[in-house]
Amino acid sequence: MLHKNLIGKSVLIVEDDPKIRNLVKIYLTREGYEVIEATNGLEAKEKIEEMDPCILILDLMLPGISGEEICRWVREEYKSMMPIIMLTAKVSEKDRIKGFKLGADDYVVKPFSPGELMVRIEAVLRRTASRCGKLSFIGFTIKPAKGEALINGEQLELTHFEFKLLHIFMQHPDQILSREQILSFIYENNEKAVSDRTIDVHIKNLREKIKDKTPKDYIQTVRGMGYKFVAL
């Protein structure tokens, strides 16, 4: 079972073999990841620039632009530290060393176990957690570093407090959070700038802004306990 704090992480699979790509996609989707696909190097570049994935699963032997070239481009030209797992039939020590020198975070040799790949993805994401703060699932996308929140690609205009609330809810999907817990996530050292009840007003305003974009009530009140962001 995927750890809750990894739900919503977006994965770009760059693989020209449809059987391998679909197999990996099935396992990733089952674990709650948002899956993006590319079949060649050029498409991979476009998806990276457009979608800003949290981790890249990269086949090295691609038509046109090679996986090595994509890895080099990500690190040197695109200037991104997104985690990269190389997925390849190249098995020599020389190839592995080259992959790591190019900036790969892990190296998985074909044929591979899909289950092991999932474990490696999770391990790499945990190890590189500071590189990707973006969360994206059920139509919601939040980018803390850029201060952006979107629903189905449409910008949500939120106050600073509302943005923090949405971020907290998306970090804890399908979990009941009390007002005290929510405030403890927002304020450090137990310093509270608002009362427990004032938070209800902020959540009401956030709900209304979300409902302007989608009819479903994603933030639900759990009587006597707090609030829950329904992600399923």
Side-chain angles (χ1 to χ4, degrees):
M1 175 68 71
L2 183 68
H3 195 277
K4 283 287 187 181
N5 66 10
L6 295 182
I7 290 177
K9 297 293 186 184
S10 53
V11 181
L12 172 58
I13 309 168
V14 187
E15 170 61 64
D16 62 322
D17 185 327
K19 291 183 179 179
I20 294 176
R21 195 173 62 250
N22 289 336
L23 177 64
V24 175
K25 180 180 180 180
I26 288 170
Y27 274 79
L28 287 168
T29 303
R30 184 183 299 165
E31 293 292 344
Y33 290 98
E34 175 195 10
V35 179
I36 309 163
E37 300 177 66
T39 60
N40 57 61
L42 180 60
E43 189 178 0
K45 281 187 173 183
E46 293 172 350
K47 293 291 177 68
I48 289 168
E49 292 180 322
E50 177 187 357
M51 307 296 291
D52 188 27
C54 283
I55 185 169
L56 180 61
I57 310 301
L58 181 62
D59 180 25
L60 297 188
M61 300 171 71
L62 295 167
I65 304 172
S66 71
E68 286 98 337
E69 291 177 82
I70 291 297
C71 188
R72 186 182 296 108
W73 173 80
V74 167
R75 295 290 186 249
E76 297 179 6
E77 296 183 43
Y78 191 63
K79 304 294 184 183
S80 172
M81 290 304 295
M82 74 173 62
I84 297 174
I85 297 179
M86 289 184 170
L87 189 62
T88 177
K90 295 184 177 182
V91 299
S92 72
E93 181 183 7
K94 181 180 178 180
D95 288 324
R96 289 172 181 267
I97 292 172
K98 181 181 178 182
F100 286 120
K101 283 186 174 180
L102 285 170
D105 293 275
D106 203 350
Y107 195 101
V108 177
V109 176
K110 299 176 182 177
F112 61 94
S113 159
E116 180 184 350
L117 178 60
M118 296 305 108
V119 172
R120 285 176 178 263
I121 291 170
E122 183 173 345
V124 167
L125 281 173
R126 290 185 188 285
R127 203 165 64 236
T128 61
S130 62
R131 300 189 200 171
C132 179
K134 187 185 84 165
L135 290 173
S136 182
F137 55 99
I138 58 169
F140 286 81
T141 298
I142 192 163
K143 301 178 182 181
K146 295 183 178 180
E148 294 181 359
L150 306 96
I151 297 182
N152 299 321
E154 192 174 351
Q155 189 82 30
L156 268 176
E157 298 297 335
L158 304 178
T159 66
H160 182 65
F161 198 96
E162 290 163 359
F163 185 88
K164 282 188 171 184
L165 282 174
L166 181 59
H167 190 201
I168 289 163
F169 282 128
M170 290 183 68
Q171 287 178 310
H172 302 84
D174 298 310
Q175 297 179 44
I176 299 172
L177 299 177
S178 68
R179 296 177 181 85
E180 291 76 14
Q181 285 177 308
I182 293 170
L183 288 171
S184 71
F185 287 127
I186 293 176
Y187 298 109
E188 297 179 358
N189 302 320
N190 294 320
E191 178 186 351
K192 295 182 180 180
V194 300
S195 69
D196 290 354
R197 290 299 172 183
T198 304
I199 200 170
D200 295 345
V201 176
H202 290 284
I203 291 176
K204 178 177 180 291
N205 292 337
L206 174 60
R207 274 174 160 165
E208 289 176 352
K209 290 181 179 181
I210 291 173
K211 285 184 176 180
D212 283 342
K213 308 294 183 183
T214 177
K216 183 174 177 179
D217 187 7
Y218 286 96
I219 302 174
Q220 297 184 358
T221 302
V222 181
R223 187 178 297 275
M225 299 180 71
Y227 296 94
K228 180 170 71 170
F229 182 75
V230 181
L232 300 177

